[in-house]
Amino acid sequence: MRSLAAISGALCVSVALVVALPQEKLATERRRTDNAGLYLLSRRENEGLASKITQAEASGANPEAACAAAQAALGETIVQTQPLIQTDVENNWSQTCIAEPRCIFQPASASDVGKLVQILDDHQVKFAVRSGGHSPNPGWSSIGDAGVLFDMSAMSTISLSEDGKVVSVGPGARWGQVSTAADSKGVTVVGGREPAIGVGGLTLGGGNFYLTSEFGLAADNVKNFEAVLADGTIINANADENSDLFWSLKGGGPSFGIVTRYDLSTVPVYDLWYAAYLYTPDQALELLDAMAQWQKGGASDLRSSVVFSIGLDSALVLMTYSAQAESPAAFGPFYQIKPLTIAIPPTNDTVRSLHDPTSSGFAPTPGRHDYRAVSSQVDAQLYKDVYEFWLVEATAVHEATGANQTFVIQHVSRNVAQQGVGWTSLVDGLDEEDDELARSVSITTTARWRELSQERGLDIDFLYMNDASRDQSPLASYGEENVQKLKDVALKYDPTQLFQNLLNGRFLLSKL
Ligand SMILES: Cc1cc2nc3c(=O)[nH]c(=O)nc-3n(C[C@H](O)[C@H](O)[C@H](O)COP(=O)(O)OP(=O)(O)OC[C@H]3O[C@@H](n4cnc5c(N)ncnc54)[C@H](O)[C@@H]3O)c2cc1C
C-alpha cells in the first residue's frame, strides 16, 4: 500500500534552521547530576508512594498523581520520577525540543505502554512520545512539568526473520542499528540517511532514504505496525488487519496510537556506489542548474539519488547509486563542475557503510535547530531566484547573530509521487533569544518559494511532515478527502480522542 505521505506528496522543498547556543551558557543551564544519587532518592521517594498518591489526588495535581500511580503499578525502572536523570530529559537532537517533564515513562514492552496510557487517561494528563528525539519542534517529543514523557529508548529490539525478508524493530531503535542488523543478512532497509535518527518518528512521517526513488519511503516498506491504542489495547495494522489504520500510520503522524513495533520489509539491494564533493558558495548557481538537470534527466534512473546542500561558506553534493558502479552516467551534470575538494571519494561498498561518514550523532551539547517545508515542481530558475533571496536573508541574520544556515534541495521521485525537490538551512552560534530572527529566514524564504512557484504555475500544496516546522500543517496539505478519512480512522480507533486531546505537539488532526 502506498503511504499517505507519498500519495499526497509531490515536489517537496524543506527548510531547516539549526541554531546552537554557546557552550558555556548551556553548561551553566544544565543541572549537574549524579545518577547513583538520583536512584537512591527515587527509592526513598518510592517508600512514601502511597501517601504521595493520596496527597496528589487530594490536591488535584494530576501529573503527580499519574506519575505516582504509574510508578506504583510498574516500578521505578519503568517510571522515573523527580529528580530526573538529566541525560534522559535532554536526549533530544535540538535544544528547542528539550523540556523537563513531571516524570519519564520508559516502557520495556507494548503491555507496559498499554498500562501507562490507561493511567494517563484516568488522570487526563498530557504526554509526549520520544523515539529518536530528532524533531526540533518544541513539544513534539518533549513536555514540561505539567505532563509526562514516554521515552521509547528501552524498546529498541531488532530481529530479522529467518528468510531475511522482514526486520522487526522497536520504536527506540536508531536507523544505524537497523541497517547494521539488516547488513548482517545481506539485505537493506529503507530508513533514515543519518544513523542516529529514530525509527519511531521518521516512519510515521514518511521516511526519505537513498533508495526511495526505487523502493518508496520508509513508510511504504512497513509490512505491519504493532500499536497501542487509547484504551490500552495492542493491535496490529497491516494490509489484511485494520488496514485503514495501516494506511493512516503511513504518513499520518502520531494521531492514532503509540507504535510499539515496526515490521519492515527489506529490499534486495546491498551494494551502493557513493561519492561526495565540496564546492565554494560562488558555484551555487551552477550547482542549482546541475541539480535541476539531474532531476529532469539522470533521476529517471531510479538507482540514483542526490543529497544537495548549500551553506554560507561551502556547498555539498552527495551522490549515491544503488549498484556497484564507476562514475554513473546519471550524475553527468555534476561531473561538469570542478569541486573544491572531495568529501568522500568514489566508493563501492554496502548501503550500511554510508552511515559511517554521514554519522553526526548527538552533539554533546545540542544546538538549536529548526526545519521548514515547502513544495514545488522542479525548475532551475525558481531554485536560483529563491536561493538569491535566501542568501541575502541568511547573510544578514548571520552578520547580526553569528548564525549559519544551509539551503538544501531534496528530490522527490516520480516513482514516489510527482517529481520534486526539498530545502534545509542550518544556523550555528545563536542565542535562544535569536531563535525567531533565525527562523524568520526560513519563514520568508518558504513564503517566497510559494509566491514565485504560484506565479509561475509550479506550486504544489504539499508539506513533508518530517521537514515541517512547528507552525506548519503537513496534515492539512494532504487534502480534504484524506484529512476526512484520517479523522474517521482516528475516531474509530480512539473514540474518546485521547491522542487528539492529550498528546503534545501540533501535527494532530485536532489541530487542523
Ligand atoms: C540530522 C537529521 C537527519 C534527518 N534525515 C532524514 C532523512 O534522511 N529522511 C527523512 O525522512 N527525515 C529525516 N529527518 C527528519 C526526521 O525524520 C524527523 O525529525 C523525525 O521526526 C525523527 O524521528 P525520531 O523518532 O528521531 O523523532 P522524535 O522526535 O522522537 O519523534 C518525532 C515525532 O514522532 C512522534 N513519535 C515518535 N515515536 C513515536 C511512536 N513510537 N508512536 C507514535 N508517535 C511517535 C513523536 O511524538 C513526535 O511527534 C532528519 C532529521 C534530522 C534532525
Side-chain angles (χ1 to χ4, degrees), residues 92-93 128-136 140-141 152 171 191-194 196-202 204 206-209 254 257-260 262 360 371 464 466-467 503:
N92 291 72
W93 175 69
V129 180
R130 181 180 70 200
S131 283
H134 265 64
S135 174
W140 266 236
S141 46
M152 306 303 286
R193 287 171 295 198
E194 210 273 338
I197 310 165
V199 170
L202 177 135
L204 295 176
N208 193 7
F209 190 56
I258 298 181
V259 178
T260 47
Y262 299 75
S360 58
Y371 44 43
Y464 180 46
N466 282 351
D467 289 340
L503 184 63

Side-chain angles (χ1 to χ4, degrees), residues 16 18 91-94 97 127-137 139-142 149-150 152 170-175 191-210 212 217-218 226-228 249 253-262 307 358 360-362 369 371 410 426 464-468 499 503-508:
V18 178
N91 199 10
N92 291 72
W93 175 69
S94 173
C97 191
F127 63 98
V129 180
R130 181 180 70 200
S131 283
H134 265 64
S135 174
N137 292 327
W140 266 236
S141 46
S142 63
L149 175 67
F150 270 95
M152 306 303 286
R174 309 292 174 135
W175 285 109
R193 287 171 295 198
E194 210 273 338
I197 310 165
V199 170
L202 177 135
T203 312
L204 295 176
N208 193 7
F209 190 56
Y210 304 116
T212 285
L217 300 166
E226 178 194 80
V228 171
L249 289 169
S255 272
F256 308 91
I258 298 181
V259 178
T260 47
R261 200 186 68 234
Y262 299 75
V307 173
T358 54
S360 58
F362 275 17
H369 306 258
Y371 44 43
Q410 307 207 59
L426 310 173
Y464 180 46
M465 183 179 286
N466 282 351
D467 289 340
F499 283 93
L503 184 63
N504 218 25
R506 284 192 62 251
F507 293 168
L508 294 166

Side-chain angles (χ1 to χ4, degrees), residues 404-422:
N404 281 312
Q405 310 213 11
T406 309
F407 184 104
V408 175
I409 291 193
Q410 307 207 59
H411 177 69
V412 179
S413 156
R414 280 193 199 290
N415 197 34
V416 175
Q418 297 169 44
Q419 192 169 316
V421 285

Side-chain angles (χ1 to χ4, degrees), residues 198-233:
V199 170
L202 177 135
T203 312
L204 295 176
N208 193 7
F209 190 56
Y210 304 116
L211 307 178
T212 285
S213 293
E214 215 175 344
F215 297 102
L217 300 166
D220 289 315
N221 291 282
V222 177
K223 201 175 161 60
N224 177 65
F225 294 95
E226 178 194 80
V228 171
L229 301 180
D231 64 0
T233 55

